[in-house]
Amino acid sequence: MFARPRHRMIEPAPEPMRRPAADAAPAVEILSAEKVFPNGTRGLAPVSLTLREGEFVSLIGPSGCGKSTLLSLVANLHQPSDGRLLWWRGGFDRVGADGRRLAVVFQDATLMPWLRIAGNVRLPLDLAGMGRAEAGPRVQAALDLVGLGAQGRHFPRQLSGGMRMRAAIARGLVTEPNLLLMDEPFGALDEFTRNKLDADLVDLWWRRSLTVLFVTHSIYEAVFLSTRVVVMAARPGRIFAELAIDEPHPRGEAFRMSPRFAEHCRALSRVLTDASLASDGPEGGR
Ligand SMILES: Nc1ncnc2c1ncn2[C@@H]1O[C@H](COP(=O)(O)OP(=O)(O)OP(=O)(O)O)[C@@H](O)[C@H]1O
Ligand SMILES: [Mg+2]
């Protein structure tokens, strides 16, 4: 588990219950968003998807089906060629205010090798012009949260791959985001470390009432983490199906070992096979 909270950025664990996500307010609305790249590749056919506050939505699908493209639209790193997106019912200028903060974590930890871990985690606050005195406790709180409270003075090369990924997550959390976008964050890790980070992440999502959009290739990971799994197909990239993982939270090892977990994995595996078959046609998206 990530370390227990000691700073104001972390709330006490709520009682186990189901999330009332179905009628929660939308955090992000993707409205017939399409993406054609300058070289003519159609990365995304029109896609519509609403992320509601408190949801944990995973995107899964064959390579090239547009998962990263979709996430980059939500992060406003790319603009749609057609259609539009709303963040908290407005334009991207709404993002950044209290209750409407966004952070992105990519597969590569992409830490600056010449900065200590604390310096890496402080970067977003430095960029926002926050002074050292104010930033210090926030950096420590984020490091504590991911279990790296004692490693702030280390350099990235002194940490394991899993620890570096934790540092990247701390850097994402230091701005206290409400919406967390993650593109295969644990894809490069061994299964044991990944399972542990998954358990930590779902615990964090629960305690911090985050909204998460998570890209993965792992059926197990998608089922373990998500309130909803969105399956995409390729050529052109599109939404193929959605599966609700309507299971109680917080989830732990007991859920991973349960027959319900295995049932969800089987169902998702079947849909994913269909999505892969539907992606095998000619380059219809071009
Ligand atoms: N900058 C770009 N320029 C041109 N084509 C691109 C660009 N980025 C992505 N594409 C194309 O858009 C499609 C979707 O790519 P994307 O990276 O979103 O897929 P993905 O689902 O994330 O794949 P993977 O699982 O391999 O990460 C692919 O055909 C890809 O080649
Ligand atoms: Mg990708």
Side-chain angles (χ1 to χ4, degrees), residues 211-247:
T211 306
V212 181
L213 182 62
F214 188 92
V215 173
T216 182
H217 276 285
S218 163
I219 290 171
Y220 305 114
E221 188 169 51
V223 168
F224 181 72
L225 293 172
S226 314
T227 53
R228 188 153 61 105
V229 181
V230 173
V231 180
M232 296 180 69
R235 289 179 288 279
R238 61 199 187 274
I239 292 180
F240 183 78
E242 285 192 22
L243 281 82
I245 312 294
D246 193 12
E247 299 292 337

Side-chain angles (χ1 to χ4, degrees), residues 37 39 41-43 61-70 78 184 217:
F37 288 101
N39 67 358
T41 303
R42 196 167 171 218
S63 186
C65 70
K67 303 179 293 295
S68 297
T69 303
L70 189 56
H78 283 129
E184 296 191 59
H217 276 285

Side-chain angles (χ1 to χ4, degrees), residues 56-60 194-195 198-199 202 205 214-231 242-272:
F56 196 123
V57 174
S58 288
L59 300 177
I60 193 167
R194 178 194 278 222
N195 283 352
D198 281 345
V202 81
W205 161 78
F214 188 92
V215 173
T216 182
H217 276 285
S218 163
I219 290 171
Y220 305 114
E221 188 169 51
V223 168
F224 181 72
L225 293 172
S226 314
T227 53
R228 188 153 61 105
V229 181
V230 173
V231 180
E242 285 192 22
L243 281 82
I245 312 294
D246 193 12
E247 299 292 337
H249 281 276
R251 294 176 187 167
E253 279 312 298
F255 175 54
R256 217 193 283 277
M257 297 301 147
S258 69
R260 296 282 300 154
F261 180 79
E263 269 171 44
H264 285 298
C265 289
R266 270 198 298 275
L268 178 54
S269 174
R270 276 195 292 270
V271 176
L272 202 51

Side-chain angles (χ1 to χ4, degrees), residues 8-27:
R8 72 170 180 81
M9 65 186 280
I10 311 141
E11 299 82 40
E15 290 303 309
M17 57 176 283
R18 281 168 201 263
R19 290 218 150 216
D23 52 358

